[in-house]
Amino acid sequence: LGPQDVARTVHVALVGAQMRRGIHLGGIEHGIQLTLEGGEQVNLDALFDLPLVLDDGETVNLGSVATIDAVPSLRAIRRENRATVTNL
């Protein structure tokens, strides 16, 4: 279990993942977004309990292998008249 594996699992838990192949219905391919049930309600406690699958098939909780801290961040970054604008 490496840092990239942990990052990928946390990313899917928080925002989901776009599947590489969609489903064909009526001759049109529709994209599929993979999300975890209740993902919109993820909080710090839920992240501590997020299961990670090890190479041997065993699972451990994220909180047992990582330090998780909540820190303030920028709410948005955008450009107005070619200048960077941030919202706090």
Side-chain angles (χ1 to χ4, degrees):
L1 180 68
Q4 289 180 332
D5 301 316
V6 173
R8 188 175 317 119
T9 301
V10 171
H11 179 81
V12 170
L14 294 176
V15 298
Q18 182 69 36
M19 304 306 293
R20 290 184 183 177
R21 302 186 84 196
I23 185 169
H24 291 275
L25 298 172
I28 300 171
E29 183 174 1
H30 299 272
I32 298 174
Q33 178 76 18
L34 172 68
T35 58
L36 298 178
E37 185 176 0
E40 65 279 352
Q41 300 171 357
V42 173
N43 59 33
L44 204 55
D45 291 331
L47 279 179
F48 276 108
D49 295 334
L50 185 67
L52 302 171
V53 180
L54 302 175
D55 293 336
D56 62 4
E58 295 290 321
T59 60
V60 296
N61 291 339
L62 177 62
S64 68
V65 297
T67 302
I68 303 171
D69 293 316
V71 295
S73 65
L74 298 175
R75 292 183 56 210
I77 300 174
R78 66 180 192 283
R79 294 202 177 270
E80 288 182 7
N81 298 324
R82 298 185 182 186
T84 301
V85 178
T86 60
N87 292 336
L88 300 175

